[in-house]
Amino acid sequence: MNAKEKILEMLKEVEAIKFGDFVLSSGKRSGVYIDIKQACTHPDILAAIAEQMAKLARDVEFDRIACVELGGVAIAVALALKTGKPYAIFRKRKKDYGVKDDLVGEIRKGEKVLVVEDVTTTGSSAISAVERVRARGGDVKAVFVVVDREEGAKEAFEKINVELVPLLKMSDLR
């Protein structure tokens, strides 16, 4: 069993792949819901995801990992522990207290950044991370995602010149 098959089997074992009628964060309706956040609460699954992403990351030159709360946080932390690279978390919205920022951590001008995400449909959440990294002077090298639902994210990333690298695709789940 290869790493992709192992991760898929683990997701099935914890019922992270659900069938029914769901509204996704993109607003689209789907008969399949992929709950990577829930799956990542299992240390063995999170470790397997981080291990596979770390292997793929060997081909990418990067200084820092970035994600958007909440879906990418556990993945970013696990990958940071695996690679020794620091990470940054973008909030969905700026907070209105404390330092009033939308970023936990930092993105330095000229840094090469690897963005991680749990699931992409249209790619809008990860694209917001790419745009915010670029606004701070960072250079996004790739977006790694656990599952690409194959509903337009790949094409959206191509338009902004960023490679989308999924561990699994929706077509793998069938």
Side-chain angles (χ1 to χ4, degrees):
M1 182 180 306
N2 67 31
K4 183 159 107 171
E5 291 167 337
K6 179 182 176 192
I7 291 170
L8 179 55
E9 195 57 39
M10 294 170 94
L11 294 177
K12 288 178 180 177
E13 284 174 15
V14 298
E15 299 178 0
I17 302 166
K18 299 173 180 16
F19 298 93
D21 183 27
F22 305 96
V23 176
L24 308 176
S25 64
S26 65
K28 291 186 172 192
R29 293 194 87 80
S30 177
V32 181
Y33 185 74
I34 305 154
D35 197 345
I36 299 301
K37 291 174 208 64
Q38 174 66 25
C40 284
T41 66
H42 298 268
D44 57 334
I45 297 174
L46 183 57
I49 289 168
E51 177 70 32
Q52 189 58 24
M53 283 192 176
K55 284 180 183 174
L56 294 170
R58 291 180 193 145
D59 297 330
V60 179
E61 184 184 339
F62 69 102
D63 305 306
R64 184 175 306 271
I65 301 159
C67 68
V68 176
E69 68 174 357
L70 175 69
V73 174
I75 298 163
V77 172
L79 187 56
L81 289 169
K82 200 86 183 138
T83 62
K85 304 282 185 172
Y87 66 95
I89 304 166
F90 286 102
R91 299 176 192 276
K92 289 185 180 168
R93 288 176 286 290
K94 277 187 177 183
K95 60 182 187 168
D96 57 0
Y97 56 90
V99 294
K100 299 181 180 180
D101 201 356
D102 69 340
L103 181 66
V104 177
E106 63 182 336
I107 302 290
R108 295 180 182 156
K109 189 175 174 118
E111 268 188 327
K112 297 173 186 82
V113 179
L114 175 63
V115 173
V116 297
E117 181 68 287
D118 59 345
V119 178
T120 53
T121 302
T122 62
S124 61
S125 177
I127 287 171
S128 80
V130 170
E131 290 169 346
R132 293 193 267 176
V133 165
R134 288 175 172 172
R136 285 173 166 79
D139 178 18
V140 176
K141 292 308 195 180
V143 173
F144 283 13
V145 61
V146 180
V147 179
D148 176 24
R149 294 181 59 89
E150 299 178 291
E151 294 184 38
K154 181 177 186 279
E155 295 78 10
F157 285 108
E158 285 172 354
K159 286 180 184 173
I160 61 169
N161 297 313
V162 175
E163 181 183 12
L164 177 64
V165 180
L167 298 186
L168 295 166
K169 297 177 184 175
M170 184 66 115
S171 55
D172 297 323
L173 308 183
R174 299 177 200 266

